[in-house]
């Protein structure tokens, strides 16, 4: 006796349980309703459920569901949250699934609560004693802001699957690479004073001018020394994003700050890039002791690369009918990979619809997604 919803009913319920993540407290919501729905459904079909309260979040949760026992196996992973929405630009209520023009419209249909609706159908007829290796489902918290859920899950090292598939909307193209992302604030401390007496002050803007010179040299050096042709933009990038300093034309500027963003190529660690930044500023830091410093603005997210010559990539290419590729957006893949598994990003829906009004999941992707999930479960668990 079970009351498991069918695909479209489970999709409706997931979308009707808002789980918006935002750095703005007025938008930020918990994800407990989504986690409880998933826990109820997967428990009903025999999965063991673990729910983690994720530290450094506003009371949000990760869910891990496990069927079968032993080592290795398959992890199907995704995030339980969505981005905020722009109400006036949606044709319908973002939390109510509208099925029209062969599409399911709703916030999170493609990015990416819809993936869990597919997983549920793929798992409903499985039983633990059929499985040779375990099947895990992971739903994380706060992917859209800090990736705190995936970061915490990786630290815990609770499981060690053979392979992991993250069902972000890739239009069912296997993604094996993306850049990392980090942002820093560089601060220059000067000494203010009357503009008529330059020798009595230290002008922070003038020092920042030299800092910018070093950063532009670093940018050129990155472009020369690091190349990966899998990306549209083949080099690591460094962007000067925002600058603030001083208060008045007749005062020597006492403080200036500059926010920058850097995107590492796969194979490059965050530490390596930060080191290059630090090295490039070193001559100036020596020239102006204790006046130049930099700090992280947000937690960084690492770059990701799954080696192309792996069994998982070959299989994913074969079933999906698409060659693997690199993308420009960041995902939880580098954290999931820290579990020690082959990891790819592969899921229904297009990134062009993610984070947009009238987000949708096309009916045309349903059968292919079902086929991919069935084949992956069969290969790695049965
Ligand atoms: Zn996503």
């Amino acid at each position: 006796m079970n009351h498991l919803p069918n695909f479209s009913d489970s999709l409706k319920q997931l979308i009707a349980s808002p789980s918006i993540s935002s750095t703005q407290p007025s938008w930020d919501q918990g994800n407990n309703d989504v986690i409880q729905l998933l826990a109820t459904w997967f428990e009903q079909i025999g999965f063991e459920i673990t729910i983690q309260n994720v530290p450094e979040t506003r009371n949000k949760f990760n869910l891990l569901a496990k069927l079968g026992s032993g080592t290795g196996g398959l992890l199907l992973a995704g995030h339980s949250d969505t981005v905020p929405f722009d109400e006036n630009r949606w044709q319908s209520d973002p939390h109510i699934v509208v099925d029209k023009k062969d599409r399911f419209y709703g916030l999170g249909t493609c990015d990416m609560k819809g993936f869990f609706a597919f997983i549920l159908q793929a798992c409903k007829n499985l039983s633990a004693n059929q499985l040779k290796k375990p099947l895990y489902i992971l739903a994380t918290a706060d992917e859209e802001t800090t990736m705190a859920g995936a970061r915490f899950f990786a630290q815990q090292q609770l499981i060690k699957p053979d392979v992991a598939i993250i069902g972000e909307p890739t239009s069912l193209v296997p993604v094996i690479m993306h850049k990392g992302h980090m942002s820093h604030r560089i601060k220059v401390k000067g000494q203010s004073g009357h503009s008529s007496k330059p020798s009595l002050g230290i002008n922070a803007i003038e020092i920042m001018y030299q800092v910018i010179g070093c950063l532009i040299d670093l940018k050129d050096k990155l472009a020369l020394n690091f190349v990966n042709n899998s990306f549209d933009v083949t080099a690591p990038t460094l962007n000067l994003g925002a600058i603030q300093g001083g208060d008045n034309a007749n005062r020597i500027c006492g403080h200036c700050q500059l926010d920058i963003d850097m995107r590492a190529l796969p194979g490059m660690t965050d530490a390596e890039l930060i080191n290059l930044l630090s090295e490039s500023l070193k001559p100036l830091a020596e020239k102006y002791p204790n006046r130049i410093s930099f700090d992280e603005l947000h937690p960084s997210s690492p770059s990701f690369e799954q080696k192309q010559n792996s069994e998982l990539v070959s299989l994913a290419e074969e079933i999906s009918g698409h060659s693997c590729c690199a993308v420009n957006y960041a995902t939880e893949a580098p954290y999931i990979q820290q579990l020690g598994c082959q990891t790819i990003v592969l899921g229904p829906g297009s990134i062009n619809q993610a984070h947009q009004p009238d987000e949708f999941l096309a009916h045309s992707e349903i059968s292919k997604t079902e086929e991919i999930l069935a084949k992956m479960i069969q290969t790695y668990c049965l």
Side-chain angles (χ1 to χ4, degrees):
M1 179 72 188
N2 80 46
H3 303 283
L4 212 62
N6 64 21
F7 175 78
S8 69
D9 285 342
S10 64
L11 182 66
K12 280 177 194 157
Q13 293 184 53
L14 290 166
I15 302 307
S17 307
S19 53
I20 292 169
S21 294
S22 174
T23 50
Q24 290 176 39
S26 60
W27 267 113
D28 198 45
Q29 298 175 324
N31 67 340
N32 195 35
D33 291 353
V34 175
I35 295 294
Q36 290 307 322
L37 270 182
L38 295 174
T40 308
W41 294 336
F42 283 99
E43 196 164 36
Q44 243 184 76
I45 52 175
F47 281 73
E48 274 168 50
I49 309 294
T50 307
I51 294 175
Q52 300 179 319
N53 196 335
V54 181
E56 290 164 45
T57 62
R58 294 190 181 94
N59 206 26
K60 305 201 190 190
F61 304 92
N62 286 340
L63 169 136
L64 177 67
K66 177 186 181 186
L67 188 71
S69 55
T71 56
L74 169 65
L75 168 63
L76 299 172
H79 57 87
S80 62
D81 59 328
T82 71
V83 289
F85 59 93
D86 194 343
E87 196 159 14
N88 301 321
R89 295 178 59 207
W90 276 76
Q91 306 271 333
S92 57
D93 184 334
H95 297 303
I96 296 175
V97 171
V98 173
D99 184 355
K100 68 171 187 193
K101 292 193 261 174
D102 292 327
R103 293 165 171 177
F104 294 108
Y105 289 90
L107 179 65
T109 47
C110 87
D111 187 17
M112 58 169 285
K113 293 195 236 179
F115 187 58
F116 295 105
F118 282 108
I119 298 174
L120 186 66
Q121 299 307 311
C123 294
K124 69 180 179 191
N125 296 318
L126 295 173
S127 70
N129 52 24
Q130 292 175 265
L131 300 191
K132 295 199 178 73
K133 290 187 163 202
L135 172 60
Y136 301 99
I137 317 301
L138 173 67
T140 61
D142 270 0
E143 188 270 347
E144 297 289 5
T145 49
T146 60
M147 301 206 184
R151 207 182 293 265
F152 179 64
F153 190 76
Q155 278 164 15
Q156 297 288 302
Q157 295 281 318
L158 300 180
I159 60 171
K160 195 176 183 309
D162 297 315
V163 300
I165 297 167
I166 302 171
E168 291 278 9
T170 68
S171 303
L172 299 175
V173 176
V175 167
I176 59 163
M177 247 187 258
H178 60 67
K179 290 181 182 176
H181 175 228
M182 64 177 92
S183 46
H184 286 83
R185 173 163 292 169
I186 301 172
K187 291 181 184 166
V188 173
K189 194 173 76 176
Q191 192 180 317
S192 55
H194 198 282
S195 59
S196 63
K197 298 263 179 68
S199 63
L200 297 183
I202 293 173
N203 194 311
I205 293 176
E206 290 184 14
I207 299 178
M208 189 59 92
Y209 163 78
Q210 299 172 69
V211 167
I212 291 171
C214 294
L215 294 175
I216 288 173
D217 288 347
L218 174 61
K219 189 167 119 167
D220 295 344
K221 188 174 148 188
L222 290 173
L224 265 180
N225 296 332
F226 302 90
V227 172
N228 184 326
N229 289 316
S230 306
F231 291 94
D232 302 344
V233 178
T234 57
T237 55
L238 189 166
N239 180 56
L240 310 182
I243 190 164
Q244 275 179 315
D247 45 34
N248 217 20
N250 64 4
R251 267 163 55 81
I252 296 167
C253 174
H255 176 86
C256 188
Q257 64 186 36
L258 171 66
D259 294 348
I260 63 168
D261 152 302
M262 296 190 288
R263 293 172 187 262
L265 286 174
M268 213 176 197
T269 62
D270 288 359
E272 195 178 344
L273 205 48
I274 291 169
N275 234 345
L276 288 168
L277 174 64
S278 173
E279 282 292 307
S280 83
L281 298 177
K282 203 171 157 197
L284 277 183
E286 282 165 3
K287 186 172 166 192
Y288 301 104
N290 303 318
R291 296 202 174 272
I292 303 170
S293 60
F294 64 86
D295 291 301
E296 208 171 60
L297 270 178
H298 307 292
S300 66
S301 60
S303 59
F304 160 66
E305 179 173 20
Q306 166 61 50
K307 290 282 171 263
Q308 195 173 345
N309 58 355
S310 75
E311 177 200 76
L312 174 62
V313 176
S314 307
L315 180 63
E317 288 184 323
E318 186 194 314
I319 319 171
S320 70
H322 296 290
S323 303
C324 62
C325 71
V327 293
N328 291 319
Y329 50 89
T331 73
E332 297 176 323
Y335 298 107
I336 298 302
Q337 202 174 33
Q338 288 168 16
L339 302 172
C341 46
Q342 296 175 58
T343 303
I344 57 169
V345 187
L346 171 66
S350 162
I351 197 68
N352 298 331
Q353 268 82 57
H355 303 196
Q356 297 294 327
D358 300 328
E359 176 182 340
F360 67 83
L361 179 73
H363 290 194
S364 58
E365 295 210 302
I366 295 177
S367 62
K368 196 70 181 174
T369 307
E370 287 170 347
E371 187 193 336
I372 290 172
L373 289 175
K375 184 77 190 195
M376 289 293 176
I377 293 170
Q378 188 195 5
T379 306
Y380 292 104
C381 302
L382 292 174

